[in-house]
Structures are given as structure tokens and as C-alpha cells.
Amino acid sequence: MSDISIIGGGHASGKLVNNLHKLEFKGNINIFSEEEHLPYERPPLSKDFLYGSKKFEDFKIDINLEKVNYYFSTKINKIDFINKIIYDQNNNDYSYDKLVFANGSSPKRIFEENIEGVNYLRTLNDSVKIKSSIEISKDIILLGAGYISLEISSTIKKNYPNKEVTIIDNSEKILLRNSNDDLREFIFKYQKKNNVNFLFNTSFQKLIRNEDGSIKSLILDDNKILACDLLVVGIGVYPNTDILKGTMLEEKNGIKVNEYCETAVKDVFALGDVALSKNNFLNKHIREESWNNAEKQSDILAKNLTGTKTAYDEIPWFWTDQFDQNFQILGEINNFDNKILRNYSENKNTIIYFKNKKIIGAVAVNNGRDISIIRKIIKKNIVPNMEKIQNKDINLKELL
Amino acid sequence: MSDNENWIKTYAVSDIDDEDVKEFQLPNGNKIAVYNINNTFYATDLFCTHEKVSLCEGFIDGDSIECPLHQGVFKISTGEVLESPPTEGLKTYITKIEENYIFVNVS
Ligand SMILES: Cc1cc2nc3c(=O)[nH]c(=O)nc-3n(C[C@H](O)[C@H](O)[C@H](O)COP(=O)(O)OP(=O)(O)OC[C@H]3O[C@@H](n4cnc5c(N)ncnc54)[C@H](O)[C@@H]3O)c2cc1C
Ligand code: FES
């Protein structure tokens, strides 16, 4: 049986290993991870772990280390697809039979180099560092109004309502990507209610430091000075494809794979945040950057690597938890021709989006049950009865 | 505790529709979920093992309950995890029907 070598030790990698073991894969598994920790799920890093109500043990992915060769703190720097060899940061070489890219994505940076006091949140270590800084900071600035910043602001305000938290974005609204105006309105309402400050259409031009080198304030584009003792930047992520430069698999927006997680190169696979995957529901290639994508692709790839050819057929789904509210996005929520709001109460809503009379997506606030049902309706290709959908007293389950 | 004291009277059979679930508070303060699946009654802990969210807000599909928060799935009859994110199973309770009431064993 061929051996499998995996680059990356994050969510997708950890789950892939466990799924391979469940399917009784008998070959060797080699995992090369830049991090010094076991794989873990990342959502708690901006939520419960940052808040202090979850420990690493609660979200780490347990792997039986006796059954794998785990190379901790090992970054793969170079790949030779022709001779099937990978090289780490110390130029050690490892040959492979089958190679899996599970090396995720990285936060986009505002400065090329690492600058003291400019924080990003991607890893456990980042979260630990930001958590301890929050405790001693008064004026916190989050650059970028994406999901990460909105979750951090929620976590800080829940713990420390009196700390000043300001989110700055150079566009005119929150969540420019992976969102729509309905969701923005819901989320913005909770952020404002909890006294998070927002500054739109601006960015900063300069950092002012104290004598000890720590950040004191930011000078914004309009020359306004904003006090700041903690800066976290969350302006999006990019796929970790730099190691492919100059190879036959060079890709810009992720490593292109089909619905079986296969790349264009034989015996080479990719999944999770780094993969630009064929999504059958949307009929295009997308990079999903979600927990669900990492989780479900690891299941699919394990099957494919053990001989059961299985296609990925998930409808894109993402959740974010902020201020004890759960927001979920399913499917396509932008290119619709009709929408219906099911307003159950002030804090419980579902908006369903249609195209050509069929449901294509939904946004739900504190109503995961509707999302579960709508996912089934879409998968079963049901043309729903509009009268029933419009009547919130009718359980959506009746449409199944 | 005598065996009799271990059996806690919860809802009347007619209180819970088929494929529905209701929350119930035990005398010790713990909350459970009582389910009617095809006129067989089951009971599990109320909260998902992933985070403290009531499974009564979840979606029942046959013999499984899907958590409303992150769509973890548990088998209602055994409590086992069928789909992540939860990794720990749900505690289940034995039930019996007497005089049209659902009793739950808390021993
Ligand atoms: C703070 C935070 C909160 C999130 N919250 C949510 C949420 O609420 N809901 C949701 O759906 N999704 C959420 N996500 C997204 C989700 O966590 C990711 O989509 C998921 O982690 C992707 O898994 P992955 O295995 O592809 O990548 P990762 O988990 O990032 O793992 C990649 C691993 O590869 C390693 N690596 C990279 N390059 C190399 C190399 N050359 N050699 C060796 N190792 C390498 C990295 O160090 C990393 O350990 C969140 C992400 C973050 C950061
Ligand atoms: S709280 Fe139930 S799956 Fe997360």
C-alpha cells in the first residue's frame, strides 16, 4: 500500500488522518506541520478560547501518534513533483508516494515584515498572545471589518464591556466578502448595541510608538489620531501556495482540485483552505475557507485515498458566533431573484433566497433548524410551496 | 434511592407530537430532552456536548437530532455522535410509559 504524506497539520490534516485510520488505511502516514501543536479546530481561537471558556484540550484533534510519523515544527519549503520528493526548512528531503496539500491559508499582512505590536489571528499562539494583550489594553483597534474582527470585538466586549473597541475598514460596510446586506444588517445591529465603534472608508497611515516601542496611537488617513494599545489586523487570508512557485502546480487563488480533491498532478491532492475546489452546487471552483469545508473534504479525500471514489457535494455553509447569537449562511445568498423573510422573533429570523422559484440559499439568525431543513430541500431539488414558506407558523419540515 | 424514586414522571404521551422534542427539568435541576419518535419515547441530556445549546431547537430526522448551532448530529436512541463537531456522546435515559405518562429513569 502507498504511503501518504501530508503537508500541514491543521483541521483538514488532523481529520484526514483520523478518517484514514477509521477506514483502516494500512500504509504509512507522514505529517509535516509548521506548528508545534497537534492539529486543532480554529473557530474557538476568536471565540471561546479567546474568552477563556474553552481550553486547547476541548478543540484539539486527537491523533494516535504511534500510528503516524508526525514531524512537528517542520515547514515544507520545496517540492519536486517529478522525483516525488519534498524538502523542509533545513533542506532535509523526504520522498512520497501520495502527497496531500492541507497547508491552509495565512492572514493577509499590511506590512511585508513582522512589526512589533501588529497582531494577526490564525494560530493557537496568536490567540494566546492576543488574549494576554487584551487583559492589559484599554484602546483596542481591529483593522478590517471581516468575520475575525467582528468575532474578536464580540469576545472582548463580552469579557470587558468597558474597553474601547474600534473596527476600522477602508470600505463603506462590514463583511464585504461572503455576505449580503441582510446579514450585514443583522450583525451590525448586535455590534452597535454592544458599543463597538466603527470607522469606515478609512485606514491608517502611521503608527506612533511609546518610548518602549509599544504602540501608542494610529494616525488615520484623515490625520485624525486614535489612541491604541492593541492592534489586531484581520483583512482576509490568502492560500499558502508560495511553496508551489516555479512548479508544475503553480496556482494563484489556491490549488485547483476536482470534486475528488485531485489536483492536475498524479498522486497529488489538496483540501481545506488551500484548495480551490470544484463545487457542484455552485458549478464553479471556490475557496471556501470554512470549518465545514475542511471537515467534509477530509472525509471525502480519505474515502478516495482508500479506494471508494466519492465526490464532494456539500452546499457551502458557514457560521459565525457573535454576542451569543449564531448566524449561519447556506448556499448562494447574492444572485437571487426573490427572497422571503421568516421573522419568528426579534432575535430569530431566517431569510430564504430563490432563483427561478427554487431555493438557492439562506441566512439564519439563531435558527439552525431552518438551515438543516433548507439544506435538505436544496439537496432533494424540491420546488417549494411559496404559501407555506411565507407562513412562519408552518414548520418548514412540511416541505420535505 | 428506591427504584420508584429513580423514575421521574415527565410529560403525558399526548403532550409531545410525533418527531418532536420537549425540554424537561429533573428534580436535581438537570435539564433533559424528551423525544417522540414514531410513538417511541426517548430522553437525552438537553444540551449539545459541543457547546451549551438546547437540542430542543434542533432538527429531528428519523432517529437523529441535528444541533442548531453547528449541525453536530446525535443518534437519539443511543446518544452517539453521528456527525461532528461534537466528539462526546449525549447521555441517554431509559424511559417507560405508565398510564399514558412518560417516565424517565435517572438512576
Ligand atoms: C480565528 C478563526 C476563526 C474561525 N472561525 C470559523 C467559524 O466560526 N466558522 C467556520 O466555518 N470557519 C471558521 N474559521 C475557518 C476555519 O478554521 C478554516 O477554514 C480551517 O481551519 C481550514 O482548515 P485547513 O486545515 O485547511 O487549514 P489550517 O487549519 O489553517 O491548517 C493549515 C496548517 O498547515 C500549516 N502549514 C502551512 N504551510 C505549511 C508548510 N509549508 N509546511 C508545513 N505546514 C504548513 C499551518 O501552520 C497550519 O497548521 C476560522 C478561522 C480562524 C483562523
Ligand atoms: S453546539 Fe452543537 S454542534 Fe456546536
Side-chain angles (χ1 to χ4, degrees):
Chain A
M1 176 150 279
S2 315
D3 294 348
I4 294 173
S5 294
I6 306 172
I7 304 178
H11 180 171
S13 166
K15 287 294 173 88
L16 173 64
V17 171
N18 285 346
N19 288 330
L20 285 169
H21 284 151
K22 256 189 236 155
L23 294 170
E24 297 181 355
F25 174 75
K26 292 285 183 301
N28 285 320
I29 302 178
N30 307 307
I31 304 146
F32 301 89
S33 173
E34 201 180 350
E35 292 189 67
E36 69 268 34
H37 312 285
L38 274 176
Y40 52 91
E41 297 180 16
R42 290 179 202 271
L45 300 183
S46 50
K47 311 178 188 80
D48 322 48
F49 181 72
L50 194 61
Y51 182 70
S53 60
K54 258 192 186 166
K55 304 180 296 294
F56 180 57
E57 284 64 39
D58 298 329
F59 55 93
K60 76 169 195 288
I61 299 170
D62 270 321
I63 282 187
N64 185 343
L65 288 176
E66 285 171 11
K67 285 168 74 180
V68 296
N69 304 313
Y70 209 114
Y71 297 85
F72 289 99
S73 306
T74 304
K75 181 171 186 196
I76 297 303
N77 266 347
K78 209 169 81 190
I79 298 134
D80 174 350
F81 287 114
I82 293 168
N83 297 303
K84 292 190 148 184
I85 301 172
I86 54 177
Y87 298 86
D88 70 12
Q89 73 269 36
N90 300 318
N91 226 15
N92 297 314
D93 55 289
Y94 313 84
S95 57
Y96 69 81
D97 293 331
K98 294 202 162 142
L99 184 64
V100 176
F101 285 88
N103 54 328
S105 52
S106 297
K108 285 185 186 153
R109 309 208 149 235
I110 37 167
F111 304 110
E112 287 258 319
E113 65 278 26
N114 278 335
I115 290 197
E116 188 54 36
V118 180
N119 297 282
Y120 299 89
L121 176 52
R122 181 75 197 176
T123 65
L124 184 76
N125 295 354
D126 295 339
S127 185
V128 169
K129 183 169 170 227
I130 292 170
K131 184 172 177 1
S132 61
S133 305
I134 291 170
E135 283 158 19
I136 53 167
S137 304
K138 244 176 50 240
D139 297 298
I140 299 162
I141 296 188
L142 308 173
L143 193 72
Y147 288 106
I148 299 282
S149 294
L150 296 166
E151 290 185 351
I152 298 175
S153 67
S154 144
T155 304
I156 298 173
K157 281 293 193 180
K158 265 169 66 183
N159 256 350
Y160 306 101
N162 295 327
K163 293 200 190 264
E164 280 296 318
V165 179
T166 305
I167 298 184
I168 300 180
D169 199 286
N170 61 7
S171 78
E172 74 283 5
K173 47 189 162 189
I174 63 168
L175 295 174
L176 218 54
R177 275 170 18 89
N178 287 344
S179 179
N180 70 9
D181 281 341
D182 298 324
L183 182 66
R184 285 182 195 109
E185 200 182 314
F186 286 135
I187 290 183
F188 198 56
K189 185 179 83 183
Y190 290 103
Q191 293 279 335
K192 293 298 286 180
K193 204 163 117 189
N194 288 282
N195 301 316
V196 176
N197 309 314
F198 285 87
L199 291 172
F200 291 112
N201 293 313
T202 189
S203 187
F204 75 92
Q205 36 161 309
K206 207 168 164 201
L207 293 172
I208 309 287
R209 293 185 184 269
N210 293 305
E211 270 172 17
D212 64 2
S214 58
I215 294 182
K216 184 181 175 197
S217 54
L218 302 185
I219 303 184
L220 301 184
D221 286 349
D222 57 3
N223 292 324
K224 205 169 131 189
I225 297 176
L226 215 59
C228 170
D229 41 22
L230 171 62
L231 174 65
V232 185
V233 178
I235 51 172
V237 295
Y238 65 90
N240 290 326
T241 51
D242 348 2
I243 50 171
L244 290 166
K245 276 205 184 97
T247 72
M248 58 171 95
L249 206 63
E250 193 173 329
E251 292 285 351
K252 276 212 175 61
N253 184 29
I255 303 174
K256 201 166 183 175
V257 294
N258 61 15
E259 55 271 59
Y260 305 104
C261 297
E262 296 163 335
T263 70
V265 178
K266 188 169 178 292
D267 293 334
V268 178
F269 306 82
L271 79 169
D273 275 18
V274 77
L276 179 67
S277 316
K278 174 75 196 297
N279 187 284
N280 287 341
F281 169 72
L282 297 172
N283 197 21
K284 61 181 181 188
H285 282 82
I286 57 164
R287 263 197 339 100
E288 225 189 290
E289 294 170 16
S290 73
W291 178 94
N292 193 47
N293 182 55
E295 180 81 5
K296 301 285 163 57
Q297 283 192 328
S298 70
D299 180 42
I300 293 295
L301 183 54
K303 286 182 179 139
N304 288 331
L305 288 169
T306 50
T308 312
K309 197 147 182 159
T310 314
Y312 183 74
D313 76 337
E314 287 289 308
I315 301 168
W317 170 62
F318 182 82
W319 82 78
T320 171
D321 298 324
Q322 299 172 28
F323 296 108
D324 295 322
Q325 317 294 321
N326 170 255
F327 305 89
Q328 299 191 21
I329 307 154
L330 179 77
E332 173 63 79
I333 58 167
N334 278 303
N335 296 309
F336 54 91
D337 56 25
N338 189 14
K339 67 175 182 181
I340 290 178
L341 165 69
R342 286 170 69 95
N343 175 228
Y344 300 89
S345 66
E346 197 198 336
N347 293 325
K348 189 171 173 180
N349 294 284
T350 305
I351 302 184
I352 306 175
Y353 301 94
F354 299 83
K355 188 148 197 180
N356 301 328
K357 306 216 161 14
K358 279 202 176 162
I359 300 180
I360 55 167
V363 162
V365 185
N366 299 317
N367 203 357
R369 182 178 3 207
D370 275 3
I371 293 288
S372 306
I373 300 169
I374 292 166
R375 182 186 286 116
K376 285 207 164 14
I377 294 176
I378 297 177
K379 280 202 168 175
K380 288 186 173 173
N381 217 359
I382 294 171
V383 181
N385 175 321
M386 294 306 260
E387 267 170 40
K388 285 190 176 171
I389 290 201
Q390 266 152 348
N391 183 348
K392 71 171 172 40
D393 296 323
I394 292 182
N395 190 335
L396 281 184
K397 219 173 163 177
E398 285 188 23
L399 300 173
L400 285 175
Chain B
M1 226 189 222
S2 74
D3 187 49
N4 250 355
E5 287 170 48
N6 285 333
W7 286 103
I8 308 292
K9 183 176 179 181
T10 65
Y11 293 103
V13 164
S14 56
D15 286 341
I16 310 179
D17 293 338
D18 187 19
E19 289 223 1
D20 206 356
V21 50
K22 274 210 162 115
E23 175 180 332
F24 184 82
Q25 184 159 13
L26 296 171
N28 65 6
N30 286 356
K31 290 182 171 174
I32 59 168
V34 186
Y35 308 77
N36 174 356
I37 309 296
N38 254 331
N39 290 322
T40 305
F41 294 86
Y42 299 94
T44 70
D45 271 347
L46 177 70
F47 297 114
C48 178
T49 58
H50 184 230
E51 270 164 44
K52 202 173 172 196
V53 60
S54 166
L55 291 171
C56 287
E57 294 295 314
F59 168 58
I60 297 176
D61 188 14
D63 178 27
S64 63
I65 175 95
E66 193 166 318
C67 173
L69 217 53
H70 313 122
Q71 326 250 287
V73 181
F74 300 93
K75 191 169 164 104
I76 295 168
S77 53
T78 61
E80 77 185 277
V81 177
L82 297 179
E83 272 188 49
S84 46
T87 49
E88 196 189 315
L90 266 183
K91 183 173 175 187
T92 55
Y93 300 83
I94 299 171
T95 60
K96 70 175 179 186
I97 308 295
E98 256 175 33
E99 290 167 1
N100 283 324
Y101 272 87
I102 310 156
F103 287 78
V104 170
N105 192 307
V106 293
S107 59

